Amino acid sequence: MIPKLHYISQGNSPKEHIENIQKACSAGAELVELRLQNVSEKKYLKLATEAREITSYFQTRLLINDNYKIAKLVKADGVHISTANVCPILARKHLYTWQIIGASANTLKDCEALLEKQVDYINLSPFKVAEKSDSKAIGLQGFSAIIDALKSETPILGAGGIRKEDIKSILETGISGIRVSNEITKDFDLMRTFNNLLSASATDEKRHTFE
């Protein structure tokens, strides 16, 4: 079963990303994603190896953002594809059969395209947006409408400005879980709170499983 809470690494430096992954694991994270930008392939591999060592120690699942080749090299649990430049079908050919593939979507059309490419879960965002953002928030109504239209057993996870007080109403839309970065990075003690809220509000989980 896919964890209902994904922590996405943050930091002002690659070192901070690794430190925050360690903190997330210590706080009880079931799954973390190493999300690095603007680093060389060599450095990404080194950092991903460090992240794999940390997550293995804590028995936490690890996803690598976009770079499926590195995900295979470090034997991460999978890859999260956040850009249209990476095709899930191509990534699947490179990965081990047991590695999972998740991908990001912003619309119903995006979700439908990803389902055709047989991803293991979809990250649907943004739930909320910053005041000055050009993006359009999906919100609770959008989550409900997309879930109802898809009628899919593939887990759909919500993301984008989600706070603990949003969880109950988000789960009521049919969303399977959430992906969080900023809220937890600010206070890793919230990890337990988020986990408790997600489990306490859970309904039937049978359809949110991996083969």
Side-chain angles (χ1 to χ4, degrees):
M1 188 190 304
I2 187 170
K4 293 179 182 176
L5 178 62
H6 294 196
Y7 169 69
I8 318 305
S9 74
Q10 271 189 328
N12 295 317
S13 67
K15 182 182 177 184
E16 276 193 21
H17 277 259
I18 298 301
E19 288 172 350
N20 286 334
I21 282 178
Q22 170 105 33
K23 290 175 183 176
C25 290
S26 297
E30 287 187 68
L31 183 149
V32 298
E33 178 187 322
L34 176 62
R35 185 167 194 165
L36 293 172
Q37 295 177 324
N38 304 317
V39 297
S40 68
E41 196 85 356
K42 185 177 179 181
K43 186 158 190 179
Y44 205 150
L45 177 58
K46 179 179 180 292
L47 293 161
T49 301
E50 288 181 39
R52 176 75 284 186
E53 289 172 357
I54 293 167
T55 53
S56 292
Y57 176 81
F58 286 96
Q59 297 186 320
T60 301
R61 295 194 205 182
L62 172 67
L63 300 182
I64 302 295
N65 183 257
D66 288 336
N67 200 318
Y68 55 85
K69 292 179 181 177
I70 285 178
K72 184 172 184 177
L73 284 171
V74 302
K75 295 186 177 177
D77 293 273
V79 64
H80 180 82
I81 298 171
S82 61
T83 170
N85 295 328
V86 181
C87 176
I89 295 172
L90 179 62
R92 181 77 70 193
K93 290 178 181 177
H94 283 269
L95 293 172
Y96 293 110
T97 55
W98 49 265
Q99 288 178 303
I100 64 174
I101 297 177
S104 293
N106 305 116
T107 64
L108 173 60
K109 188 177 179 180
D110 291 342
C111 291
E112 290 171 338
L114 289 173
L115 289 174
E116 286 183 8
K117 293 174 182 176
Q118 298 184 327
V119 297
D120 295 301
Y121 74 84
I122 293 172
N123 168 62
L124 183 58
S125 67
F127 175 61
K128 297 176 187 172
V129 295
E131 287 183 16
K132 296 180 181 179
S133 173
D134 293 330
S135 302
K136 186 177 180 181
I138 298 173
L140 292 172
Q141 288 187 330
F143 277 174
S144 289
I146 290 173
I147 294 291
D148 289 347
L150 289 175
K151 294 181 172 59
S152 172
E153 292 187 1
T154 299
I156 311 293
L157 307 179
I162 294 173
R163 306 184 70 166
K164 61 183 181 182
E165 52 267 29
D166 301 315
I167 293 176
K168 187 174 185 297
S169 52
I170 285 175
L171 291 177
E172 287 171 355
T173 67
I175 287 285
S176 305
I178 60 173
R179 288 163 50 84
V180 181
S181 188
N182 195 44
E183 275 295 286
I184 288 175
T185 303
K186 288 190 292 186
D187 182 4
F188 283 95
D189 288 339
L190 282 175
M191 185 74 71
R192 179 175 290 182
T193 304
F194 272 83
N195 275 325
N196 287 341
L197 286 168
L198 286 162
S199 295
S201 303
T203 53
D204 184 9
E205 298 174 5
K206 289 181 182 176
R207 68 191 187 97
H208 308 311
T209 59
F210 288 126
E211 295 298 328

